[in-house]
Amino acid sequence: MTVGIVGLGLIGGSMAKAFRENTDHQVLGFDANTAVDGFAQLSGIVHGELTETTIPSCDLLILATYPAAAKEYLVKIAPNLSHNAIVIDCLGTKERICELGFALAREHGFIFVGGHPMAGSERSGIKFARADLFEGASMVLVPPDGNDILLLQRLKELLNPLGFARITVTTAQEHDRRIGFTSQLPHLISNAMVQSPSAMLHSGFSAGSFRDLTRVAELNSRMWAELFLENQENLIEELDVLLSSLGQYRAALAQRDSEGLQSLLEAGSRRKKEISKQ
């Protein structure tokens, strides 16, 4: 089997390494950065370069690049994909890429499936790629038909070498709604928090809570800006809920309302316990 991977950063590079180490598949890669392309080949992360000539040989093509670049690339190579080849994207949002991917798949005869590996690191780039990145993690899939059992079984077999512990099937709309809260909002909060002047004075006065809350602040600004804007409505909705909640805490503090503040804190503590049981 031939696997093509577009985008050889942390996610794409880790997938290439996993396929190389756990299978005898032919792994081809492409990255817009020619230096990354060359490094991936010289270091043996991929067998060779993914080109317009080799794309028709791919049984599985994985898009692991920025949203705009992924859509542009898919439009360009869709006519060259073999019939019944499977294309899976790894973008952090699903509605727009799935709308495009499903349409192109119907037109050209390949199979498009939205995907989002729920694994990563605060570090980006191929030098941080590792074959075990996805072990024990969840893979979210958005197939064209969530009831196509044969396709879902085929996808599980194709992705098995990556080590995912769980496959979650959903719709593009539901994915983006949930990810706006579980991923995008925390990244935004973390990035905003370190912009306080107090952040520069944390040394000697911070422990685990500061570290945990700011772990993902050092992000890829170009990629996350694209993802935030693609999921604009859901993210704004979550921000509004958060700002309203923070307003209640601020009001209790400003009014020196000990009882009200304690009530808010207790409610949050109870909710965390409920979440932890899931």
Side-chain angles (χ1 to χ4, degrees):
M1 189 175 93
T2 299
V3 179
I5 300 177
V6 182
L8 297 172
L10 176 69
I11 299 299
S14 295
M15 287 186 168
K17 284 188 172 185
F19 278 119
R20 281 299 312 266
E21 292 186 14
N22 300 324
T23 72
D24 59 359
H25 299 341
Q26 177 82 357
V27 181
L28 305 176
F30 168 78
D31 195 279
N33 186 327
T34 56
V36 171
D37 242 350
F39 174 79
Q41 293 180 57
L42 289 172
S43 61
I45 295 176
V46 298
H47 290 101
E49 186 177 8
L50 180 67
T51 65
E52 291 185 11
T53 303
T54 56
I55 281 173
S57 69
C58 290
D59 303 287
L60 172 64
L61 182 69
I62 296 173
L63 305 178
T65 186
Y66 297 164
K71 292 193 283 286
E72 181 180 345
Y73 186 88
L74 185 57
V75 170
K76 180 181 178 181
I77 57 89
N80 297 331
L81 289 164
S82 66
H83 282 222
N84 294 318
I86 290 183
V87 178
I88 302 176
D89 82 276
C90 294
L91 276 60
T93 55
K94 296 272 73 76
E95 285 196 63
R96 295 187 182 181
I97 188 66
C98 284
E99 181 181 7
L100 175 65
F102 292 155
L104 289 172
R106 288 192 296 269
E107 180 179 356
H108 297 286
F110 63 92
I111 300 169
F112 181 85
V113 178
H116 189 181
M118 303 309 297
S121 167
E122 61 270 26
R123 303 293 184 181
S124 61
I126 195 169
K127 64 181 178 179
F128 296 105
R130 64 179 203 269
D132 64 350
L133 181 67
F134 310 103
E135 289 186 6
S138 175
M139 178 62 160
V140 179
L141 294 179
V142 180
D145 179 359
N147 295 314
D148 189 337
I149 303 302
L150 293 178
L151 174 59
L152 293 176
Q153 183 59 41
R154 184 180 173 190
L155 290 169
K156 289 180 181 179
E157 292 172 358
L158 288 173
L159 296 173
N160 185 60
L162 301 180
F164 290 109
R166 178 181 179 184
I167 301 293
T168 301
V169 179
T170 187
T171 64
Q173 294 76 17
E174 183 64 13
H175 169 277
D176 287 1
R177 186 181 70 80
R178 293 195 184 194
I179 218 68
F181 174 75
T182 62
S183 177
Q184 294 187 342
L185 186 63
H187 277 82
L188 194 150
I189 292 170
S190 181
N191 189 265
M193 183 175 173
V194 297
Q195 296 190 56
S196 166
S198 299
M200 299 301 294
L201 306 174
H202 82 90
S203 182
F205 293 86
S206 62
S209 56
F210 178 80
R211 182 186 63 246
D212 293 344
L213 280 169
T214 60
R215 182 181 65 82
V216 294
E218 189 180 342
L219 44 69
N220 182 323
S221 59
R222 177 186 164 192
M223 181 187 75
W224 281 98
E226 283 193 39
L227 292 172
F228 288 162
L229 290 173
E230 285 221 337
N231 204 25
Q232 177 189 30
E233 291 184 6
N234 287 313
L235 185 53
I236 287 177
E237 183 177 337
E238 293 296 346
L239 269 173
D240 287 343
V241 172
L242 176 64
L243 291 172
S244 175
S245 180
L246 287 174
Q248 296 180 55
Y249 288 87
R250 189 190 187 286
L253 284 166
Q255 298 164 15
R256 301 191 62 83
D257 180 2
S258 176
E259 184 176 335
L261 183 58
Q262 185 175 338
S263 178
L264 288 168
L265 294 171
E266 288 177 350
S269 181
R270 285 196 304 272
R271 178 59 63 88
K272 172 58 179 174
K273 290 176 182 176
E274 292 171 5
I275 294 170
S276 298
K277 293 178 182 178
Q278 294 182 347

